[in-house]
Amino acid sequence: MNARRDALNGRNRPIGVFDSGIGGITVLKALRKALPHEDLVYLGDTARLPYGTKSPETVTAYATQATKHLLGHDVKMIVIACNTASAVALGPLTQALAPIPVIGVIEPGAKAGVKATKTGRIGIIATEATVKGGAYARAIHALMPEAEVSQAACGLFVTLAEEGWTKGEVAEAAAKRYLAPLFKGRNAPDTLVLGCTHFPVLARTIKKVAGKGVKLVDSAATTAKAVEEALARQDLTAKHKRKGKTRFLATDSTERFARVGGIFFGEEIRVKDVELVDIKPT
Ligand code: DGL
């Protein structure tokens, strides 16, 4: 009986989710919708944002610290809700944390891109680090070897998203400048993968610039599906029937996190519900 109670308690532990900032809340929102009974702990490493301009070594170190902090919350699974961290740290973290499952956003994003394309021409827009690492092209080619993958680094979108400047002339000018090289030839992509969890809040502006015929996909819903499947596979799905709780942690200004994070979450985040944490090694 005790063993059974322990196993059930194990399944009722929260899922840890992290990103460099508030962008990963786009994934959190999809998790909240797909897994209404799961408890979620979201960590935004806002003090050290952006990750996308940093070296793989630095991003891996930050991702490891974020993960360690979440393990302190007794999480049963880690979701890397950041493409940059997924691109460089998914392998090492998966190894280090086994048997605790670690889910990244690149494979689910690649899957969404492959499903959406009709021509096999897929554009990836992401941070500089994600583009440089080539993880998206590898993940797409593993699913669709004949795919033509083009990429553009759009780092300023992260700042615009964190600033809440998701529409208007500044966001449009940035989108025009970033997307022009992808759409200049005859072999333009018919699908754009938003390869950074900050970008979905700019989707309307990106769509306006890319044109009606271009499909935009992101990894939020497909990641939520991958999490749901991994929980079921490992017998980790929460057994309680109450509504899942969402807890927010940030490494810098809780006020800013609540204010801008609410835009990403699609519902109010109260400042008092965000806890300031220090995840740096002591
Ligand atoms: N949201 C992150 C991503 O998905 C990175 C943004 C950043 O910190 O540069 O890549």
Side-chain angles (χ1 to χ4, degrees), residues 242-255:
R242 64 164 169 75
K243 210 171 147 223
K245 298 178 206 147
T246 311
R247 186 163 175 187
F248 293 99
L249 316 172
T251 55
D252 197 13
S253 170
T254 52
E255 183 279 323

Side-chain angles (χ1 to χ4, degrees), residues 19-21 23-24 49-53 81-85 105 127 130 158 195-198:
D19 178 40
S20 58
L49 174 120
Y51 282 7
T53 51
C82 172
N83 289 263
T84 310
V105 285
T127 65
T130 302
V158 176
C196 171
T197 52
H198 277 76

